[in-house]
Amino acid sequence: MAAFINNEFVDDSKAMLHVSDLSMQRGFALFDFFRTVNGKPLYWDDHLDRFFASAAAMRLPVSKSKEELKKIALELISRSGLKEAGIRFMLTGGYSFNGYSPAAPNLVVTCNPVKVATAADFEKGMRIMTYEHQRELAHIKTINYQMAVWLQPVLLEKHADDVLYYRNNIITEFPRSNVFIVTREGKLVTPEHNILHGITRKNLIALASKQMEVEVRDITLHELKNATEVFLASTTKKIIPVLKIDDSIIANGNPGSVTKELYERLLDFEKAYLNKPTGMPAL
Amino acid sequence: MAAFINNEFVDDSKAMLHVSDLSMQRGFALFDFFRTVNGKPLYWDDHLDRFFASAAAMRLPVSKSKEELKKIALELISRSGLKEAGIRFMLTGGYSFNGYSPAAPNLVVTCNPVKVATAADFEKGMRIMTYEHQRELAHIKTINYQMAVWLQPVLLEKHADDVLYYRNNIITEFPRSNVFIVTREGKLVTPEHNILHGITRKNLIALASKQMEVEVRDITLHELKNATEVFLASTTKKIIPVLKIDDSIIANGNPGSVTKELYERLLDFEKAYLNKPTGMPAL
């Protein structure tokens, strides 16, 4: 497996940074991530646009253009030989002279096998717990998942597959995915504020809007637990129904009809995207 | 300069971790830091005790005993030839197979020149700004200083030297130091909750208690701005008077008499510590 650091392709074993990098000194770095299907990048324009937006919000310059980053990704995909790969772009605060102030950022691109949710994962669904927490700088895709990692033993104890954050009674997001509910009135609702705006979330809002009423607004814990259907959405999980929240069973514990319908549409949308001419830059 | 990674001393240029480490994947790592004076470690028992406490709170095992860590520190200090050094112990979430779950932690110890506040820094004092923010897992010394780094350009704009966090009108701490106030009644007060418990803070509370009333409790923004004296305390800053907070001048803009007195006592305490037999383990 190969990786790319700053200006060169290196063997994966050389994908290392010095500990003076601000990612290790002060947790200061951002990233983005997309996957390939049968070797083709999925929604990479969206992910790279968000990568540049995160970099701008962290005030870190990116030394490559979007087209250059695409070429780097294609080269890594090609060298890896992987059909289903996860490509991760990370930009750090750089090798800081004082361990506190940002320096010239380090750019690290890696390409690894990726685990993508299957139809069986959809059928099985998820049990989740809720937890009061607000991610810092939630609109930026930083590397800060400290709380999510720290909570992993708690999830095990509570027999939960994932954690949904809320603050002041308003739900926001999962550590790595967005939440959607179907209300008793049959509307699809997803939070607007204090979240990372997911690419799958964006696609789902557009797809669902063609067939039903969609609201992007605050959702209370009470509304969540009284929803007809609840699901999460992300790049690698696609859509997974939430069947249990804390001690509440949702939708009799089975994937709901709206969730199933949106899942099919999302899979169709992905297929259509992959069948289009790629517009990939030549290597 | 040498460093230590897991089980070996390496040249500083080799003090590197692979990007699959959970510090770079998910910002999951902790550290502690002490300095030397004329080659002698200062309060290292306190710092190492806190390092082990942070590791336990992050549920990461430390592969070395406290005595072993002391020997590693002494060897690095000796190799560096530095009289005034900063020794940093970092424990990370390790090389994660999935970029999300902790693995065997990586232990990294580095030894570098350290900048320590001088008498001139004390006299000059600091201008600070306040900012609403609560550090996650504040009682653990994690590497998460994302907000502090992100705010650095804001400090420049506002002509502030540092930022004091508050939440719901209650002040907590600076990113890298603790806050103290002297009230109009002549009491020394420092926050108790939602902070990292500093070693200098602990020493100051003990020292001040011998001569004045000390309260460890919540402090409102209003009480802060109406205090007779305000200062911050840390390992490298010792004590620095705060002379301006947002737009409010404190103590007519000069270091106050209580702050000066405590500063002298802290310097005496440090000297007394360094004159004691060290109890250093033999190399």
Side-chain angles (χ1 to χ4, degrees), chain B residues 92-110:
Chain B
T92 74
Y95 295 138
S96 175
F97 79 99
N98 62 359
Y100 199 61
S101 307
N106 283 308
L107 171 69
V108 182
V109 191
T110 54

Side-chain angles (χ1 to χ4, degrees), chain A residues 12 18 26 57 59 143 150, chain B residues 12 18 26 57 59 143 150:
Chain A
D12 179 75
H18 191 268
R26 304 292 172 179
R59 306 181 185 98
I143 61 166
W150 190 75
Chain B
D12 179 75
H18 191 268
R26 304 292 173 179
R59 306 180 186 98
I143 61 165
W150 190 75

Side-chain angles (χ1 to χ4, degrees), chain A residues 126-156:
Chain A
M126 272 193 179
R127 306 155 301 177
I128 67 163
M129 60 175 272
T130 57
Y131 190 82
E132 181 142 32
H133 173 63
Q134 172 60 54
R135 282 178 51 241
E136 300 172 2
L137 305 175
H139 60 297
I140 310 173
K141 196 165 173 73
T142 76
I143 61 166
N144 178 22
Y145 290 70
Q146 181 179 278
M147 184 60 79
V149 177
W150 190 75
L151 283 172
Q152 284 174 29
V154 181
L155 293 186
L156 274 180

Side-chain angles (χ1 to χ4, degrees), chain B residues 180-192:
Chain B
F180 289 78
I181 70 168
V182 180
T183 66
R184 294 183 178 271
E185 298 78 34
K187 292 177 189 169
L188 185 73
V189 191
T190 191
E192 178 170 19

